[in-house]
Amino acid sequence: MFANISAGAWVYGTCSDRYVSDGYKDKMDFVSRVERLSNIEEVKGIEITYPFDINEENYDHYKTLLEEKSLTISCIGVELVCDRKWKTGSFCSPHKEVREETIKLVKKAMDFANQIGVEIVNLWLGQDGFDYLMQTNYVDAWKFLIEGLRECANYNTKVKLGLEYKASEPRLNCFLNSGGKALAVAQATGCSNVGVTLDIGHALNAKENPAEIASILMAENKLFHLHFNDNYFIADDDMPVGSVHFLHFVELIYWLKKLGYSGWYSLDLYPYRDDPDEACKTSIHFIRMIEKMVEKKLKDLDFHEMAETAASKNMCNLFTKMFDMGE
């Protein structure tokens, strides 16, 4: 069975960087983004950011549009990064009023998600961290993070909170900087509805193996959501899936299917100088090809048998299975 695919509304953003601050593309309103995305075959969902894309005030208007375009809201991300008011952090800010505003906003997002039937609220805490050594009270930051997340999670246990980790950016060092750290935080809250959003590009930036992290998170029932993209390890390039890491995605999709992941594959792309439609189509084409190959050629892998065989021979056998042309 193929996974359901969604894409972030930000795929159709202006794609600004610090060199071209106005972006490489013209600004596109939300209606136009939905129109464009709905024309891409196999995209069934759209991931939005609260409160800027859709909120309590405009939902009735956009609900009709999404239904007409057969798009489901796959996940709601909370905007806790892209405003100067978060420069000291969100959950971990040393300023009580900022922490209180964070918790209030997340609770509102949870209420909205519950109201419209969205299961997961995504939390990317990119401003929670430090830039310089001897700058931060790490004990306080940990306490604020755990207590704040616990308060939000207990506020509405029907809504899941996915912690999207990232090694750095915008902060030079983010507190939630690895899959292990994100899992530790989720478990420290003691709340079953706090888990992890695994962004493949972020895992690669953290020098992790995505398949390994996904497997561990699933073993702990903490893999709540997935962002699919690719990069060159160095930065969060958000390139089309499979642009760089072919075998990593083969292994990841193998284990997602083997372990029964049933959530969304959400495209988190940032096509600076590329066409966003084509970036999405290329990613979907790659994902579907790998899914077919895994189902047809790799489902009979025997890891117990491979444990008794030279690792390089196992790789040779794997390549033979993958690239068998039927001759």
Side-chain angles (χ1 to χ4, degrees):
M1 179 181 292
F2 287 173
N4 286 325
I5 291 179
S6 71
W10 55 86
V11 171
Y12 293 96
T14 58
C15 290
S16 61
D17 60 23
R18 63 177 180 165
Y19 303 101
V20 184
S21 58
D22 290 335
Y24 293 89
K25 301 178 176 71
D26 294 333
K27 190 170 184 179
M28 188 183 300
D29 62 32
F30 188 72
V31 173
S32 298
R33 297 183 191 206
V34 171
E35 293 276 358
R36 290 276 292 272
L37 197 57
S38 68
N39 289 325
I40 299 177
E41 189 176 356
E42 297 200 60
V43 172
K44 305 300 182 185
I46 183 170
E47 189 166 341
I48 65 167
T49 301
Y50 178 89
F52 297 123
D53 291 329
I54 299 181
N55 53 53
E56 300 86 350
E57 284 69 39
N58 62 24
Y59 175 65
D60 287 340
H61 171 68
Y62 289 132
K63 179 177 184 288
T64 302
L65 174 66
L66 291 173
E67 288 175 348
E68 289 175 352
K69 300 301 180 181
S70 300
L71 288 176
T72 299
I73 297 177
S74 59
C75 179
I76 295 176
V78 185
E79 168 36 40
L80 295 170
V81 176
C82 300
D83 191 294
R84 68 179 65 180
K85 67 182 177 182
W86 308 118
K87 70 177 184 177
T88 63
S90 55
F91 280 100
C92 301
S93 173
H95 303 297
K96 184 178 180 181
E97 64 274 14
V98 176
R99 299 196 303 274
E100 290 175 344
E101 182 175 358
T102 299
I103 292 171
K104 180 180 179 181
L105 181 59
V106 172
K107 287 181 177 179
K108 284 188 65 178
M110 295 175 75
D111 282 339
F112 181 58
N114 192 48
Q115 171 194 336
I116 65 175
V118 175
E119 182 181 18
I120 298 170
V121 167
N122 190 55
L123 301 176
W124 170 42
L125 308 182
Q127 298 284 12
D128 283 301
F130 60 95
D131 297 321
Y132 305 104
L133 301 180
M134 301 299 291
Q135 176 186 18
T136 301
N137 186 322
Y138 305 115
V139 176
D140 280 352
W142 176 265
K143 175 184 175 184
F144 295 151
L145 178 60
I146 302 304
E147 290 180 350
L149 288 171
R150 185 181 291 136
E151 180 177 340
C152 291
N154 288 330
Y155 174 73
N156 191 333
T157 58
K158 295 180 181 178
V159 176
K160 293 181 177 180
L161 298 177
L163 305 178
E164 182 179 353
Y165 66 91
K166 189 175 183 181
S168 64
E169 195 187 33
R171 280 287 187 165
L172 301 183
N173 294 277
C174 296
F175 288 136
L176 283 178
N177 56 14
S178 68
K181 181 81 75 68
L183 175 59
V185 169
Q187 292 178 327
T189 67
C191 302
S192 61
N193 60 327
V194 179
V196 178
T197 292
L198 173 56
D199 182 300
I200 307 308
H202 297 180
L204 293 171
N205 289 158
K207 303 299 187 292
E208 296 173 340
N209 177 7
E212 178 194 8
I213 296 301
S215 299
I216 292 170
L217 293 174
M218 289 191 70
E220 297 297 322
N221 296 312
K222 291 297 185 181
L223 181 58
F224 286 179
H225 192 50
L226 279 170
H227 281 173
F228 269 64
N229 50 54
D230 209 340
N231 62 50
Y232 286 105
F233 281 122
I234 300 169
D236 187 29
D237 303 315
D238 284 338
M239 298 163 66
V241 184
S243 299
V244 183
H245 293 91
F246 173 80
L247 196 53
H248 280 86
F249 281 104
V250 172
E251 186 185 35
L252 172 66
I253 289 174
Y254 171 86
W255 281 103
L256 289 174
K257 290 191 172 298
K258 185 177 180 66
L259 297 176
Y261 176 77
S262 59
W264 293 87
Y265 288 6
S266 194
L267 303 180
D268 178 5
L269 309 178
Y270 207 71
Y272 293 95
R273 292 159 292 275
D274 198 0
D275 181 281
D277 294 332
E278 296 304 324
C280 288
K281 291 176 184 178
T282 296
S283 295
I284 294 167
H285 184 59
F286 177 82
I287 290 170
R288 293 307 190 220
M289 289 180 66
I290 299 303
E291 287 179 315
K292 290 176 183 177
M293 183 177 68
V294 166
E295 176 63 26
K296 184 177 180 180
K297 299 184 176 183
L298 303 183
K299 62 181 180 180
D300 62 344
L301 292 180
D302 187 336
F303 288 92
H304 294 292
E305 179 181 317
M306 287 193 288
E308 305 302 321
T309 306
S312 54
K313 183 176 181 179
N314 288 329
M315 290 301 299
C316 184
N317 292 338
L318 178 65
F319 293 149
T320 299
K321 287 176 179 290
M322 290 194 300
F323 301 114
D324 178 13
M325 303 303 178
E327 299 176 353

